[in-house]
Amino acid sequence: MSQKTLCIATRNQHKTQEIASVLAAYWVVKCSADYPEMEQLEDIEETGDSFQANATIKAIATSQIVPDYVLADDSGLECDALDGAPGVFSARYGGIPSSAEKNNAKLLQELARVGAMTPEQRGARFRCVLVLAKGGEVLATFDGACEGKIILEPRGLHGFGYDPLFVPRTYTRTFAQLTEKTKTSLSHRGLALKKFIEWCQANPLE
Ligand code: ITT
């Protein structure tokens, strides 16, 4: 793969960091904030009812403005005991203005409210959908999921979002207690990025 420029269509610096760490070997990685022309774009409304729909909305809107290849990430957490919530509302689950603290507090409160207090009742997964676009056209879509469970109180200082509450299957530590490298080796985003890299190797871009 030659070193082309890839714009990560996100305002979430944690996502950009995780994605850039993996893709920097292949791409010159930028994010939406690196493009002055993006200032003309109002907040992109994520009106879809799936990660795929919202990642597509972000990828198309951004690639209509920036000249480079664009990769959008839509991701979130699904809890079995909450019928898949917070799902596409993960970023703002605890209300607006959003914060990880409010989201995590609401998640613990909701799981307690429905009586899901044992590890067996607290099954959950992170999902990530990545959409590659250029010039307003979708080129490809990649997804990844990571199964695990939600613990009773936050542990760890790394990562972002729900990481201090999520223990991946076969692990005892939360995502926030693992290094970024270990998290990425098993995470929803890491798995989707692996598919993206394999796709780029099979489909060299102009
Ligand atoms: P952009 O739309 O600008 O990309 P965002 O943070 O609003 O930023 P999403 O709409 O995709 O992005 O919401 C993703 C939310 O899901 C994120 O804010 C976290 O609350 C949660 N999330 C996703 N991936 C996560 C991860 O790896 N670790 C912890 N929480 C994660």
Side-chain angles (χ1 to χ4, degrees), residues 149 151 155 166-174 177-178:
K149 64 178 190 302
I151 56 170
R155 287 202 317 250
F166 183 81
V167 174
R169 191 175 278 172
T170 76
Y171 281 71
T172 53
R173 296 203 267 171
T174 67
Q177 292 176 302
L178 299 174

Side-chain angles (χ1 to χ4, degrees), residues 8-16 18 32 44 46 51 54-55 58 72-77 86-93 98-100 103-104 126-129 159-164 166 175 183 187-189:
I8 310 303
T10 181
R11 285 157 302 151
N12 182 323
Q13 293 177 354
H14 301 282
K15 283 185 184 178
T16 306
E18 287 188 3
S32 306
I44 301 169
E46 297 179 30
F51 299 119
N54 284 334
K58 289 188 268 193
D73 166 315
D74 202 72
S75 45
L77 181 73
V88 292
F89 301 106
S90 291
R92 50 185 192 270
Y93 192 47
S98 61
S99 75
N103 290 340
N104 286 343
F126 275 118
R127 285 193 192 282
C128 173
V129 174
F160 69 100
Y162 300 94
D163 282 348
F166 183 81
F175 264 173
K183 175 185 170 185
S187 78
H188 50 313
R189 184 164 298 106

